[in-house]
Amino acid sequence: MIRRDVIIIGAGAAGLFCAAQAGARDRDVEVLDHAKKVGRKILMSGGGRCNFTNMYTSPENFLCDNPHFCKSALSRYTQWDFISLVAEHGIAYHEKTLGQLFCDDSAKDIVDLLLNECNKAGVTITTRCEILKVEKIESGYSLSTSNGDYECESLVIATGGLSMPKLGATPFGYKIAQQFGLNVLATRAALVPFTLHDKDKEALAELSGIAVDVYASCNDTTFKEAMLFTHRGLSGPAMLQISSYWEAGDTLSINMLPNEDALSFINSARSETPDVLLATCLTKVFPKRMVQCFIEYQGWRNVPIKQLSHSECEALANVLENWQVKPNGTEGYRTAEVTIGGVDTNELSSKTMMAKNVEGLYFIGEVVDVTGWLGGFNFQWAWSSGWAAGQVV
């Protein structure tokens, strides 16, 4: 029987950061994980460079059934606190766009930072450890594992969501929450590409690899970023972002001409270059391959632009700035970056992340119903929620 002050299940961003914080308070901490190595999701994030936070992090960048829940943790351990830690470890980084910070070299730098902080705080990390049973006992919790039995005073669940099962994602954290009577909100894949119905997919398949800047809107939310056509559907930052707000059956509104008024653009072309073909006109603002495909897909007449009627021009403009797309679905957890839903925040203390009705049981990171936008926000939630629990476990 191994006795610890704190056991953390999950050696990802939130779990390792929480462990380092608790260990720094002289708590005897052990992190258990079923994977062969720690931080696998960190290592592949941001194209291997880890978008570790965002300079513009605020509560507005998160989805949660209780939008106020994340405010406490985010305000007490901010993006600037983690940026300072990154600098302290001598990790070179850069801003890409919209406040997104990436390692210059490799995501391994962030994993090394976490492991160094854990090592400095005397944290024990055990991998290839399967949790077989968790029970509440008088002095805290008992765990039966493939590596033997444990007891601890505080138990932290940092097992993440269902995203990317090939990296080891499981519903373990939700099952523990339910075992102890906590409500778990329905989950779904988020920050995920869309798939299209066969007819649209076949018509647009030849555009795979083409990216254009768009406004993507759904359910009163809009993002302006790039949209990428794929052989299965639509991806790119704009689609990943809006996927968090989309639900099955919803229609997306896509403005493919975000920087100008579509009808004004067409009317200007009619007056300035009336004899130019529609295709030639549109290639001023879109890739040639995309223009040719959309002319066929939408049934537009590729004639000198002066020959288009006013109603044709209006219909054309409407598609350019209000293309209605009804996805077939998403690519699901297989490629989703995060999971929406999870442990109901109404069950947790926003200050400590402890279950209100279960002494000594904590939930941090993605397993909780707090989901950030694309761009480093989910890592910041891992740091902030891990820090909050780490101060008290």
Side-chain angles (χ1 to χ4, degrees):
M1 171 70 68
I2 300 170
R3 176 81 194 176
R4 302 287 187 199
D5 295 332
V6 183
I7 286 179
I8 298 171
I9 303 178
L16 292 174
F17 198 63
C18 180
Q21 298 301 316
R25 294 172 38 240
D26 291 327
R27 300 290 278 164
D28 182 11
V29 183
E30 183 160 353
V31 182
L32 305 178
D33 198 291
H34 67 101
K36 292 178 186 175
K37 62 181 189 178
V38 306
R40 290 179 71 193
K41 204 168 174 184
I42 301 172
L43 290 169
M44 59 76 61
S45 67
R49 290 194 170 176
C50 187
N51 179 192
F52 57 82
T53 192
N54 192 295
M55 293 196 297
Y56 305 123
T57 302
S58 74
E60 288 69 43
N61 304 119
F62 296 84
L63 291 83
C64 178
D65 205 48
N66 173 5
H68 301 291
F69 179 82
C70 65
K71 290 179 178 177
S72 175
L74 291 173
S75 66
R76 288 183 299 131
Y77 191 86
T78 71
Q79 62 270 39
W80 307 111
D81 293 316
F82 193 76
I83 291 166
S84 295
L85 184 62
V86 167
E88 189 183 308
H89 281 257
I91 298 171
Y93 64 90
H94 61 278
E95 180 188 359
K96 209 166 181 182
T97 54
L98 305 171
Q100 301 171 23
L101 300 185
F102 290 78
C103 298
D104 281 0
D105 186 20
S106 164
K108 188 173 181 296
D109 290 342
I110 299 298
V111 175
D112 289 345
L113 176 155
L114 295 169
L115 292 176
N116 288 335
E117 288 290 309
C118 283
N119 187 49
K120 189 167 69 176
V123 172
T124 303
I125 299 173
T126 302
T127 54
R128 301 184 193 226
C129 180
E130 189 181 348
I131 313 299
L132 306 173
K133 193 176 182 184
V134 176
E135 289 182 307
K136 185 92 175 74
I137 56 175
E138 195 174 330
S139 59
Y141 295 86
S142 72
L143 285 75
S144 298
T145 82
S146 57
N147 286 43
D149 296 334
Y150 288 83
E151 286 186 0
C152 62
E153 183 184 335
S154 297
L155 178 63
V156 182
I157 306 300
T159 49
L162 300 174
S163 319
M164 300 188 180
K166 67 181 179 185
L167 295 182
T170 74
F172 177 87
Y174 307 137
K175 289 180 178 176
I176 292 294
Q178 289 168 331
Q179 177 187 332
F180 288 98
L182 277 68
N183 186 41
V184 176
L185 300 179
T187 60
R188 59 187 170 86
L191 300 185
V192 61
F194 289 106
T195 56
L196 296 175
H197 290 281
D198 288 346
K199 181 186 171 190
D200 295 326
K201 184 169 69 175
E202 286 162 18
L204 300 172
E206 64 190 85
L207 300 185
S208 182
I210 288 178
V212 290
D213 285 337
V214 301
Y215 280 119
S217 304
C218 188
N219 292 320
D220 302 320
T221 303
T222 299
F223 290 96
K224 184 188 178 186
E225 289 204 57
M227 174 180 74
L228 174 70
F229 291 95
T230 73
H231 61 284
R232 284 188 293 270
L234 301 172
S235 187
M239 296 296 103
L240 299 187
Q241 293 281 37
I242 207 65
S243 72
S244 296
Y245 294 84
W246 177 87
E247 294 189 22
D250 287 345
T251 297
L252 304 176
S253 175
I254 300 173
N255 182 346
M256 296 182 287
L257 209 59
N259 298 319
E260 54 188 307
D261 180 82
L263 193 55
S264 297
F265 166 75
I266 294 164
N267 287 335
S268 294
R270 275 162 64 91
S271 61
E272 293 166 18
T273 54
D275 296 316
V276 163
L277 289 175
L278 174 62
T280 307
C281 171
L282 292 178
T283 52
K284 293 177 183 175
V285 285
F286 298 112
K288 187 176 180 182
R289 190 153 51 104
M290 180 177 166
V291 170
Q292 291 169 337
C293 177
F294 262 78
I295 284 175
E296 191 174 325
Y297 173 52
Q298 297 291 341
W300 294 331
R301 291 196 301 141
N302 188 25
V303 295
I305 203 163
K306 67 183 179 185
Q307 293 182 22
L308 296 177
S309 67
H310 285 295
S311 61
E312 283 180 298
C313 289
E314 286 175 356
L316 172 60
N318 188 53
V319 170
L320 295 182
E321 63 185 19
N322 190 24
W323 180 33
Q324 299 290 295
V325 182
K326 193 168 186 177
N328 180 41
T330 71
E331 293 195 6
Y333 292 118
R334 183 180 64 82
T335 59
E337 296 199 15
V338 289
T339 305
I340 278 185
V343 178
D344 189 343
T345 57
N346 292 317
E347 303 274 13
L348 308 176
S349 160
S350 61
K351 185 177 181 185
T352 66
M353 313 307 290
M354 189 178 86
K356 292 175 181 176
N357 298 321
V358 190
E359 184 68 30
L361 180 63
Y362 300 77
F363 293 85
I364 58 174
E366 192 185 340
V367 73
V368 178
D369 173 40
V370 175
T371 306
W373 290 0
L374 184 73
F377 299 104
N378 288 293
F379 273 119
Q380 187 56 47
W381 173 245
W383 316 137
S384 296
S385 60
W387 183 91
Q391 305 312 300
V392 293
V393 290

